[in-house]
Amino acid sequence: MSTSDEKMPLSVLLFHSAMKQQMSLADFAAALGLSVATLRSYLFEAGSRSRMRSKTVEQMAKILNMPASEVRERAELLPYADQPFGEWLKAQMQGRFTRASLCTATKISDSAMKNYLSGQTTPDPDNAIRLAEVLGADSLTVARLIVASELRRRGVELPSAPHREQTVPVEPMPEPKPEPAPIPASTTVDGATPTPKSDTVIDEAIINAYTEQRLLNLWRRLHPQGRRATLTYIASLLAEGM
């Protein structure tokens, strides 16, 4: 039977509870009033949890803070298949820890760490929580990996991980931009559209204005006698033209 993150199996929750209390399996078994062998069978053997006594179920419900009915319901669940704990541990150490440095940081013996990495054994809850804290890993994920590895090592077939469809967000269609209103052409008083002046006409107007300004400046500099002579000359030209 498969499980989701919201419905974690009883075996994983029990192992995780022992991790949070930094207890070995022997100490956790004593807290439940069980032998270590019985606790291991509940954690790592499929089918054995269906034979749990009512007193044991009530004790587990108290430790996990859930109804006894939910304890029995979760007892039927199995963690989904994942990579073996030893492979996961190697991946977590990659580029971060050597075996010796991880042993120093977690205070776990080198022989025990060697067995974890080779897949021969998995850590007890008290060592598992140290690994999770030093590696910065989620403790519940570590508990699930350890329980799944132990179940698979005993030949239990685990369900595949639930497939989660990735939904691609649909972007909203952009609203059409309003077309800019046409710029009204300037009109004359009688409503007719004026004819734009060409560049040549504009240039000639600039030149004429500049020339007139220069002539005016020159006229102001002339001596009064020079002005009279100039006017006399202009008058004679006009007379000849007429």
Side-chain angles (χ1 to χ4, degrees), residues 193-204:
T193 303
T195 304
K197 296 182 179 180
S198 64
D199 293 342
T200 305
V201 174
I202 295 174
D203 291 343
E204 290 179 354

Side-chain angles (χ1 to χ4, degrees), residues 148-160:
S149 294
E150 287 292 335
L151 285 167
R152 188 159 45 186
R153 199 152 61 91
R154 288 165 171 77
V156 178
E157 185 176 352
L158 301 178
S160 302

Side-chain angles (χ1 to χ4, degrees), residues 46 61 99 103 120 139 150-151 164 180 187 196 228 232:
R99 193 173 81 194
C103 288
Q120 293 184 13
S139 58
E150 287 292 335
L151 285 167
R164 296 179 179 177
T187 57
R228 285 195 295 269
T232 302

Side-chain angles (χ1 to χ4, degrees), residues 98-138:
T98 62
R99 193 173 81 194
S101 63
L102 187 58
C103 288
T104 301
T106 58
K107 296 181 173 57
I108 296 174
S109 68
D110 181 72
S111 58
M113 191 70 71
K114 182 179 179 181
N115 288 335
Y116 300 160
L117 291 168
S118 64
Q120 293 184 13
T121 60
T122 55
D124 262 15
D126 52 346
N127 282 349
I129 191 63
R130 294 180 201 167
L131 286 168
E133 290 174 350
V134 171
L135 295 172
D138 177 63

Side-chain angles (χ1 to χ4, degrees), residues 5-18:
D5 292 340
E6 294 77 17
K7 205 71 171 177
M8 197 64 70
L10 176 65
S11 55
V12 176
L13 293 179
L14 288 173
F15 195 94
H16 186 243
S17 178

Side-chain angles (χ1 to χ4, degrees), residues 6 10 15 26 33 45-46 52 83 92 140 149 164 183 197 201 212 237:
E6 294 77 17
L10 176 65
F15 195 94
E45 293 180 14
M52 291 189 301
Q83 64 182 141
Q92 293 294 312
L140 188 59
S149 294
R164 296 179 179 177
I183 301 175
K197 296 182 179 180
V201 174
E212 290 176 0
L237 290 176

